[in-house]
């Protein structure tokens, strides 16, 4: 499917929850965010149906994100249902790895193909500061579990202030090199002021070739990360909401009043 600027749209990113087991300082305020009421969270049946219709319309690539996707109830079953949809040739997840010791193998067996793991530092003290509550050892155990399960490639997403030469960023590069993992650097963004950057080593942030639609965990389709435009699948119906998101997808992003957890980056 094509948007009104003739960009091919084939990539659906699904935020399956706005909940998280970390509190990364660049992602949410210390007190947490105003959570979507549980009864508004999109059901697995709805997610599968929306994905199926999006695939019929031309989506071939799907990524599960959050919040932290692994804190969603019955995530493995949901992954399995999505993996069984014919027509998806690239199916990935972005996770902070904390719960991967438990989930890596079941996710791999359920048909998840790729994992991107967020890791901003390999200094345990800095990890505690950046995530406000996390233990580096848990994330490392999760990364090792993902390797053991057979995920290949595994990419590390590393948020930087300004440059990949910062000490934390260099530490993550060395850690990745030891384990044969690719590192992608993401400059810290600010949705409210519209400061956003291209991802070093990735294809995010390039408006002219953007191929994405995003589904929030309360069932809204967002055509652009850096815009508040959204189309409620429950109000409009799935196909009309997808079509509107396509037709109204902005040429480029400006700013947005959401938290990162609404759409998962
Ligand atoms: N919880 C999962 C994780 O951290 O990987 C998935 C959701 S998280 C919101 C998705 C990605 O967004 C992570 O790689 C995270 O580093 C990134 N992110 C969050 N806030 C950001 C910000 N202000 N600027 C740049 N990237 C950000
Ligand atoms: Fe949670 Fe991911 Fe946001 Fe960190 S970046 S608080 S792990 S959703």
């Amino acid at each position: 499917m094509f948007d009104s600027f003739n960009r091919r749209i084939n990539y659906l990113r699904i935020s399956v929850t706005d909940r998280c087991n970390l509190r990364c300082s660049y992602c949410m305020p210390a007190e947490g965010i105003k959570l979507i009421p549980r009864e508004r969270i999109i059901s697995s049946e709805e997610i599968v149906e929306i994905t199926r219709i999006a695939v019929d319309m031309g989506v071939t690539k799907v990524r599960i994100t959050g919040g932290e996707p692994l804190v969603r109830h019955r995530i493995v079953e949901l992954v399995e249902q999505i993996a069984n949809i014919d027509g998806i040739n690239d199916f990935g997840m972005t996770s902070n790895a904390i719960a991967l010791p438990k989930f890596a193998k079941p996710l791999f067996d359920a048909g998840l193909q790729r994992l991107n793991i967020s890791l901003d530092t390999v200094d345990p003290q800095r990890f505690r500061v950046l995530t406000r509550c996390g233990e580096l050892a848990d994330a490392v155990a999760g990364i090792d579990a993902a390797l053991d399960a057979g995920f290949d490639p595994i990419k590390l997403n590393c948020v930087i202030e300004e440059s990949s030469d910062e000490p934390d960023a260099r530490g993550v590069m060395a850690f990745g090199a030891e384990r044969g993992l690719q590192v992608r650097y993401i400059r810290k963004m600010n949705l409210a002021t519209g400061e956003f950057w291209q991802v070093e080593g990735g294809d995010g942030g390039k408006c002219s070739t953007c191929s994405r639609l995003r589904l929030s965990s309360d069932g809204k389709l967002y055509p652009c990360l850096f815009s508040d435009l959204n189309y409620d699948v429950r109000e409009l119906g799935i196909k009309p909401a997808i079509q509107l998101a396509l037709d109204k997808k902005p040429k480029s992003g400006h700013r947005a009043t959401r938290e990162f957890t609404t759409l998962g980056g």
Side-chain angles (χ1 to χ4, degrees):
M1 52 189 170
F2 289 87
D3 72 0
S4 60
F5 300 98
N6 219 23
R7 291 172 294 197
R8 180 189 288 278
I9 307 300
N10 65 355
Y11 183 7
L12 178 66
R13 293 173 68 101
I14 306 171
S15 170
V16 296
T17 180
D18 59 342
R19 273 77 172 161
C20 189
N21 46 4
L22 296 181
R23 290 281 175 278
C24 303
S25 54
Y26 50 72
C27 181
M28 27 172 126
E31 65 280 11
I33 49 161
K34 189 171 172 286
L35 293 174
I36 297 169
R38 256 175 218 291
E39 64 278 9
R40 291 283 312 158
I41 297 279
I42 192 162
S43 70
S44 294
E45 291 71 26
E46 288 174 299
I47 293 175
V48 171
E49 190 56 18
I50 293 164
T51 309
R52 194 168 279 134
I53 291 177
V55 168
D56 279 348
M57 292 172 76
V59 161
T60 56
K61 179 172 175 181
V62 173
R63 174 163 297 274
I64 306 284
T65 175
E68 171 52 37
L70 299 181
V71 305
R72 185 181 163 111
H73 187 52
R74 299 170 76 89
I75 185 67
V76 176
E77 286 87 338
L78 175 58
V79 161
E80 184 165 22
Q81 287 170 29
I82 295 175
N84 284 334
I85 297 175
D86 277 342
I88 300 174
N89 57 31
D90 186 338
F91 181 29
M93 176 184 281
T94 304
S95 165
N96 62 29
I98 298 291
L100 278 176
K102 174 172 171 199
F103 286 114
K105 183 80 171 69
L107 287 171
F108 187 80
D109 292 343
L112 188 69
Q113 296 168 342
R114 300 209 291 140
L115 263 177
N116 286 7
I117 294 176
S118 302
L119 184 72
D120 304 330
T121 181
V122 287
D123 174 331
Q125 189 52 36
R126 291 272 305 141
F127 190 88
R128 252 174 245 133
V129 171
L130 286 172
T131 63
R132 296 208 186 92
C133 58
E135 286 299 325
L136 176 69
D138 295 337
V140 172
I143 293 168
D144 287 337
L147 283 165
D148 287 347
F151 284 103
D152 183 25
I154 297 173
K155 291 185 184 165
L156 297 178
N157 285 352
C158 178
V159 172
I160 53 175
E161 291 291 334
E162 284 197 356
S163 132
S164 49
D165 218 19
E166 290 158 14
D168 282 334
R170 280 196 267 132
V172 171
M173 181 56 84
F175 173 91
E178 269 169 27
R179 286 171 167 76
L181 312 175
Q182 298 171 36
V183 180
R184 301 183 327 154
Y185 292 111
I186 306 171
R187 247 180 103 171
K188 196 186 285 181
M189 306 189 204
N190 187 326
L191 291 175
T193 59
E195 286 168 52
F196 63 100
W197 323 93
Q198 291 190 2
V199 174
E200 265 183 60
D203 57 4
K206 287 182 207 149
C207 300
S208 63
T209 55
C210 181
S211 59
R212 305 169 179 203
L213 293 181
R214 293 174 157 87
L215 178 67
S216 66
S217 55
D218 58 352
K220 294 173 181 155
L221 275 166
Y222 285 76
C224 173
L225 180 60
F226 282 90
S227 158
D228 284 332
L229 268 186
N230 67 83
Y231 301 95
D232 193 321
V233 168
R234 288 161 171 159
E235 278 171 18
L236 298 162
I238 299 173
K239 214 168 167 178
I242 295 176
Q243 195 59 53
L244 269 168
L246 269 184
D247 294 346
K248 303 287 183 188
K249 186 172 164 74
K251 190 171 184 187
S252 61
H254 293 284
R255 65 181 70 86
T257 51
R258 280 172 279 102
E259 308 284 349
F260 249 82
T261 46
T262 309
L263 294 179

